[in-house]
Amino acid sequence: MSEKDCDKESCSALELLDFKNALKQFQKLVEKMVTQKTKERLGLYIKDDDEIDYDKFYTTTQTLFGAEVKDHNIKTFFRKISNNLDARTEWCEIFGYFIGESDAMSSQMKEENMVFLVSEKQQITHAVVKRQDVLKGIVKVPHLDFTITSSQKGVLTIFNNQGDQTAINDTAWITGCDFLPQLKCVVAVTERTVIVWDYKSKGSQNNCFVIKPMENGLLCVCTVTMSDHLAKDNILMGDDKGYVHLLTVTSDHFGLKQSKSKGKKESQLQVLDSKTFNIVKRKLHDDWVVKIKYISDLNCFGSCSSDSIHSFVLDDIKRLEDNLPVKEFSVPKGVNAFTYCGKAKVIVTGGKYWGVFQEIVLL
């Protein structure tokens, strides 16, 4: 055997060894990602510098295997794990090779992503959703990987990669919904009530709490995300008389700790008197409050109305408890929607005039 042949064999052996080491590191990356996603869905994950998002997964995979790995294969592999943590994966998939029939991957992806998949359009039908119904709220909860929807005719639903579960099929119109991060419950508002759903209770242990009566018709709701109290959430609501309400709820109000410990507790809809809750309100608009949102980057809440004078309010939630002036903006015909861009430090509002948008620059 010539010296040249020996060099070739040595190089091949080294390349094989490097590839095996890369596979081991890739397997550890996948295992760490699955562990992280599992904790996220259980609400136990605390973000740190080692968090694996798509960008980090992509960069690490490219570093391990180089240009042989294509972008779309990395994205497909990442999406497959994200949507089904129990899915079987093979290392060859990262190179675009799949074991089985040619359409196995497509079929598998359709089964594993029962609700939402970016690369596919899919119509979602549900037996409980009523004819001529309208969705009034859609809230994505990224760290738990599910989406909450509320419909006008009283259907409150969670969609996730395991299917869907419906909590309420009521006669009252649900006008909005959100997620309570501390209590880990779903909150929704109707014309005269506030609903808190302990979605974590399975089957016969499903618990819904109805807080009533509320003075005016509630039109929108959001959660205040600044609370660091592990058993307390603050809820902002807007009504049809121009009032903004601040409702504070704790686990003691609903007996969540007790209900979790009783495994044989039957399904129930518990009615709670609104007078037993700490609710403050202040009239900020002269017309319906059509949207409310807490902007954590600004430590402020925003509310908007079709009122031409008090169209948009942006201030600290402490202003709801006193009579000090609030920061407000006037827009002809009012404001129907708004959103905040953190990078540009700009709030964009949309009103009734077609094609007219207004920017509020925050210095």
Side-chain angles (χ1 to χ4, degrees):
M1 183 181 294
S2 66
E3 184 177 347
K4 188 175 182 180
D5 292 334
C6 290
D7 290 340
K8 286 183 178 180
E9 288 184 3
S10 298
C11 290
S12 298
L14 288 173
E15 289 175 357
L16 180 60
L17 181 61
D18 289 341
F19 184 75
K20 287 183 176 180
N21 289 334
L23 284 179
K24 289 181 180 179
Q25 294 182 50
F26 179 73
Q27 184 62 35
K28 290 180 180 179
L29 176 68
V30 173
E31 291 173 356
K32 187 175 181 180
M33 177 182 164
V34 170
T35 301
Q36 174 188 309
K37 293 290 184 183
T38 302
K39 290 182 178 180
E40 286 178 358
R41 295 181 184 183
L42 295 174
L44 302 175
Y45 181 69
I46 301 176
K47 289 188 176 183
D48 55 30
D49 295 336
D50 294 328
E51 180 185 7
I52 302 175
D53 55 10
Y54 175 73
D55 291 335
K56 187 169 184 177
F57 183 84
Y58 173 86
T59 303
T60 305
T61 304
Q62 285 282 11
T63 302
L64 290 173
F65 300 113
E68 294 293 327
V69 180
K70 305 302 180 184
D71 293 359
H72 65 275
N73 289 328
I74 298 177
K75 186 177 294 185
T76 299
F77 193 96
F78 182 88
R79 187 179 294 150
K80 178 180 179 180
I81 297 177
S82 298
N83 285 280
N84 187 354
L85 300 179
D86 297 323
R88 178 186 174 185
T89 58
E90 300 288 346
W91 63 265
C92 57
E93 294 176 19
I94 205 70
F95 295 93
Y97 298 99
F98 304 98
I99 299 175
E101 299 176 0
S102 59
D103 61 343
M105 186 61 183
S106 176
S107 174
Q108 184 183 41
M109 291 294 284
K110 287 181 180 178
E111 290 177 1
E112 292 169 359
N113 301 278
M114 298 176 66
V115 181
F116 297 109
L117 184 60
V118 175
S119 63
E120 296 184 9
K121 293 182 179 179
Q122 187 172 355
Q123 183 177 1
I124 302 170
T125 59
H126 195 283
V128 180
V129 176
K130 303 174 183 178
R131 292 177 62 87
Q132 298 180 343
D133 203 353
V134 178
L135 287 183
K136 299 296 290 184
I138 302 177
V139 177
K140 175 69 176 175
V141 186
H143 66 285
L144 295 178
D145 195 26
F146 63 65
T147 299
I148 308 165
T149 66
S150 59
S151 78
Q152 192 176 63
K153 292 190 176 180
V155 180
L156 185 62
T157 309
I158 281 182
F159 290 97
N160 54 37
N161 67 331
Q162 301 299 322
D164 61 84
Q165 48 182 306
T166 302
I168 298 170
N169 185 6
D170 203 354
T171 56
W173 285 15
I174 296 179
T175 53
C177 63
D178 206 345
F179 182 73
L180 302 178
Q182 302 300 333
L183 299 185
K184 293 182 173 56
C185 293
V186 175
V187 62
V189 292
T190 72
E191 297 159 301
R192 288 291 189 275
T193 65
V194 179
I195 300 168
V196 176
W197 171 28
D198 181 16
Y199 74 95
K200 301 180 298 300
S201 298
K202 302 295 184 181
S204 62
Q205 302 176 46
N206 212 343
N207 292 322
C208 290
F209 304 87
V210 178
I211 304 170
K212 67 177 186 179
M214 304 299 289
E215 291 184 23
N216 304 321
L218 300 176
L219 301 176
C220 51
V221 63
C222 77
T223 302
V224 179
T225 54
M226 71 175 187
S227 175
D228 56 356
H229 196 293
L230 294 179
K232 181 178 76 173
D233 276 299
N234 292 315
I235 303 168
L236 287 170
M237 301 170 290
D239 68 25
D240 58 357
K241 301 297 182 183
Y243 285 90
V244 172
H245 304 247
L246 176 63
L247 165 64
T248 300
V249 293
T250 69
S251 58
D252 293 335
H253 286 127
F254 311 112
L256 295 179
K257 294 179 180 178
Q258 291 85 344
S259 64
K260 290 176 186 175
S261 62
K262 296 179 181 180
K264 296 183 179 180
K265 193 168 185 177
E266 295 182 356
S267 175
Q268 53 186 319
L269 186 67
Q270 301 182 42
V271 178
L272 305 177
D273 188 351
S274 60
K275 294 179 181 179
T276 62
F277 289 82
N278 179 24
I279 305 176
V280 296
K281 67 176 183 177
R282 181 175 175 181
K283 187 174 177 64
L284 298 178
H285 306 275
D286 290 332
D287 208 332
W288 290 12
V289 182
V290 294
K291 180 175 180 178
I292 192 163
K293 182 178 179 63
Y294 185 78
I295 305 173
S296 55
D297 290 351
L298 305 178
N299 292 322
C300 291
F301 76 92
S303 62
C304 66
S305 170
S306 53
D307 176 9
S308 297
I309 305 300
H310 313 286
S311 309
F312 179 70
V313 172
L314 180 68
D315 217 318
D316 195 297
I317 60 172
K318 294 178 181 178
R319 297 289 78 79
L320 299 177
E321 304 179 38
D322 55 39
N323 291 318
L324 295 178
V326 295
K327 302 182 186 71
E328 61 181 15
F329 304 86
S330 300
V331 179
K333 299 293 184 179
V335 173
N336 289 342
F338 66 91
T339 190
Y340 170 71
C341 176
K343 291 184 178 180
K345 296 189 181 301
V346 166
I347 293 177
V348 180
T349 66
K352 289 187 176 180
Y353 284 129
W354 175 255
V356 176
F357 298 90
Q358 186 172 15
E359 288 186 357
I360 301 172
V361 181
L362 306 170
L363 301 177

